[in-house]
Amino acid sequence: MTTSDTHRTIDAVWRIESAKLIAGLTRMTGDVGTAEDLAQDALVAALERWPESGVPDNPGAWLMATAKHRAIDLFRRGKLLERKHLELDHELRAREESPARDLDAAIDDHVGDDLLGLMFTTCHPVLSTEGRTALTLRLLGGLTTEEIARAFLVPKATIAQRIVRAKRTLAAARVPFEVPRGAELAARLSSVLEVIYLVFNEGYSATAGDDWMRPALCEDAIRLGRILAELAPHEPEVHGLVALMELQASRSGARVGPAGEPILLLDQDRGRWDHLLIRRGLAALDRAEAPGGGYGPYALQAAIAACHARACTPEETDWTRVVALYDALSQLLHSPVVELNRAVALGMAFGPAAALEVVDTLTSEPSLEAYHLLPAVRGDLLDKLGRYGEARAEFERAASLTRNARERTLLLERAARARARP
């Protein structure tokens, strides 16, 4: 194996093992920043040694062992040793064992709990949304700072600052490395789900840039969602989020044309939808059913996506059920964006005039003032009603608001078609 082959192998191993490695080290040290530093030290050691010695049979275990030994050295050198000695004193006296053996046991057990604890740490509400997202992709997604910056179209230095600031905030707030229990679990879990879905949405409908989709971000989010579903199998909303992401991702191959142009839902070739992802999504939706048949926000959105997934043609979609599901979602979230989506479903079920009546009530909503989809939806409804001049103006306004080049082109094309009509 050449040196370049070894480096590619190390990169693949890091992608697979880094989250477990950092999670275990965080439990061991009590600090995310220290844990990542130790993990990076182990990675550097692998880059130095494996090209000569070869890749170990169990590379993940090698990285863990190397990081553990460095952690033990760190404990011996610093004040962390004193704290660890106090925590382990009782067991050490009883067993007459060395700190190293106790630390070995501490890091080798409960890998699943460690990963779950890391998720709750990186997504802690004490962090800003941007900080949570960057830190989660870095520590759990295994992405480099440059990859995260490229995905979100921001400077690399900005992402680096967000990560550093997030780690400092966690340390200053003394955020414990734990899986919350009882009443706190729901609020903290909501923060984790929010971050994962934010990553997915940025991949599914990019807010800016030249590409309408960034599939790698969707894949990262789905992977994190599946990990969370395995670690928290009794949380219905976790399965609801996985179902939502998989059902939406099933359309990815049909959402973009040969030249990268967007293809809207009703115009998509449904034969190109990924039916394996649809089956997985529907199975996850079944698991999301809470006792008593209740649905949370993610499960409700997944149920809406399932209505589309089950329809072989747009005409077969059960739009009345979609409207009912949006009614339920609106009661839970009280969101103008949900109300806008509900209006679209109303238009499909009961005609564009009924939908426009709802959309017009949203035009004075401050939170939607710069939201390009409001004039885009209004333009579509006006177009269907034959009010082409008004429709053109709405499409042009929507194009001026979006920061995505592909979407802007689509909206300007719709404006031009409206202008050409009598």
Side-chain angles (χ1 to χ4, degrees):
M1 183 180 290
T2 66
T3 299
S4 59
D5 289 338
T6 302
H7 285 174
R8 280 194 293 271
T9 300
I10 293 171
D11 182 63
V13 169
W14 179 255
R15 296 273 183 170
I16 296 168
E17 301 290 343
S18 62
K20 290 183 286 187
L21 183 62
I22 293 169
L25 291 165
T26 302
R27 178 160 58 84
M28 184 179 181
T29 64
D31 181 79
V32 166
T34 301
E36 189 186 13
D37 289 343
L38 291 167
Q40 291 286 344
D41 287 346
L43 176 62
V44 171
L47 289 168
E48 291 173 350
R49 298 179 194 174
W50 291 4
E52 294 182 5
S53 64
V55 178
D57 292 335
N58 191 335
W62 189 98
L63 288 170
M64 186 69 85
T66 301
K68 278 194 300 185
H69 293 148
R70 291 176 186 254
I72 292 166
D73 290 341
L74 179 66
F75 289 150
R76 286 175 177 153
R77 290 197 307 268
K79 292 182 179 179
L80 285 174
L81 178 62
E82 182 180 349
R83 190 181 74 192
K84 275 293 173 188
H85 274 174
L86 290 173
E87 293 172 359
L88 299 173
D89 183 64
H90 179 71
E91 288 187 48
L92 291 175
R93 288 175 183 276
R95 297 182 185 178
E96 296 185 351
E97 292 180 346
S98 70
R101 288 191 60 181
D102 278 282
L103 292 173
D104 284 348
I107 201 165
D108 288 335
D109 293 339
H110 312 302
V111 169
D113 288 345
D114 285 348
L115 281 173
L116 195 56
L118 186 60
M119 280 192 177
F120 279 104
T121 300
T122 62
C123 297
H124 197 283
V126 73
L127 302 176
S128 68
T129 300
E130 293 83 1
R132 280 180 274 159
T133 303
L135 195 60
T136 298
L137 286 174
R138 174 64 176 267
L139 301 187
L140 280 155
L143 275 64
T144 65
T145 303
E146 185 174 355
E147 287 170 331
I148 300 169
R150 190 163 58 243
F152 285 92
L153 301 180
V154 296
K156 180 180 175 181
T158 300
I159 293 297
Q161 289 170 1
R162 288 176 185 173
I163 292 171
V164 169
R165 193 178 301 120
K167 289 190 286 190
R168 286 176 179 167
T169 300
L170 291 173
R174 298 184 180 277
V175 171
F177 182 74
E178 63 182 9
V179 177
R181 307 293 179 189
E184 188 184 1
L185 176 61
R188 293 282 300 280
L189 183 62
S190 174
S191 179
V192 175
L193 297 177
E194 178 191 9
V195 169
I196 293 174
Y197 194 43
L198 188 154
V199 173
F200 178 85
N201 267 340
E202 185 59 31
Y204 191 70
S205 295
T207 56
D210 296 328
D211 299 315
W212 198 35
M213 292 186 64
R214 300 192 191 110
L217 278 181
C218 292
E219 292 166 8
D220 283 325
I222 291 174
R223 181 166 58 86
L224 290 173
R226 288 172 180 167
I227 291 171
L228 184 58
E230 291 178 5
L231 299 177
H234 304 300
E235 295 295 333
E237 272 291 78
V238 174
H239 297 296
L241 176 59
V242 172
L244 173 59
M245 293 190 297
E246 291 187 331
L247 288 170
Q248 287 184 320
S250 71
R251 309 175 204 150
S252 296
R255 291 186 76 234
V256 180
E261 69 277 13
I263 301 177
L264 301 179
L265 175 63
L266 299 183
D267 300 322
Q268 290 170 15
D269 177 0
R270 300 189 177 207
R272 297 184 61 201
W273 287 3
D274 187 325
H275 294 281
L276 174 60
L277 276 177
I278 290 175
R279 288 194 296 272
R280 293 186 64 140
L282 293 176
L285 181 58
D286 288 340
R287 291 193 293 273
E289 286 192 295
Y295 284 110
Y298 292 109
L300 279 170
Q301 292 175 79
I304 293 168
C307 290
H308 299 299
R310 292 188 177 109
C312 295
T313 66
E315 294 73 25
E316 293 178 29
T317 306
D318 187 349
W319 288 107
T320 303
R321 173 166 169 74
V322 173
V323 172
L325 289 167
Y326 270 121
D327 285 340
L329 185 62
S330 183
Q331 291 177 15
L332 283 178
L333 297 182
H334 307 291
S335 163
V337 173
V338 171
E339 192 65 11
L340 181 62
N341 289 328
R342 175 179 166 274
V344 173
L346 271 173
M348 297 302 297
F350 304 110
L356 185 61
E357 189 175 329
V358 174
V359 171
D360 283 346
T361 67
L362 299 173
T363 55
S364 59
E365 174 61 46
S367 63
L368 297 182
E369 185 176 353
Y371 188 55
H372 72 282
L373 290 181
L374 176 58
V377 168
R378 193 166 187 274
D380 180 68
L381 296 172
L382 290 166
D383 191 68
K384 289 175 179 176
L385 290 168
R387 295 161 60 177
Y388 302 125
E390 295 172 83
R392 175 188 57 78
E394 290 295 314
F395 287 134
E396 289 176 347
R397 171 169 163 72
S400 72
L401 291 174
T402 184
R403 294 188 294 132
N404 184 279
R406 296 289 185 180
E407 200 163 23
R408 185 181 303 112
T409 299
L410 174 67
L411 289 164
L412 290 175
E413 287 172 353
R414 296 206 66 184
R417 288 199 294 271
R419 184 186 298 110
R421 287 174 177 152

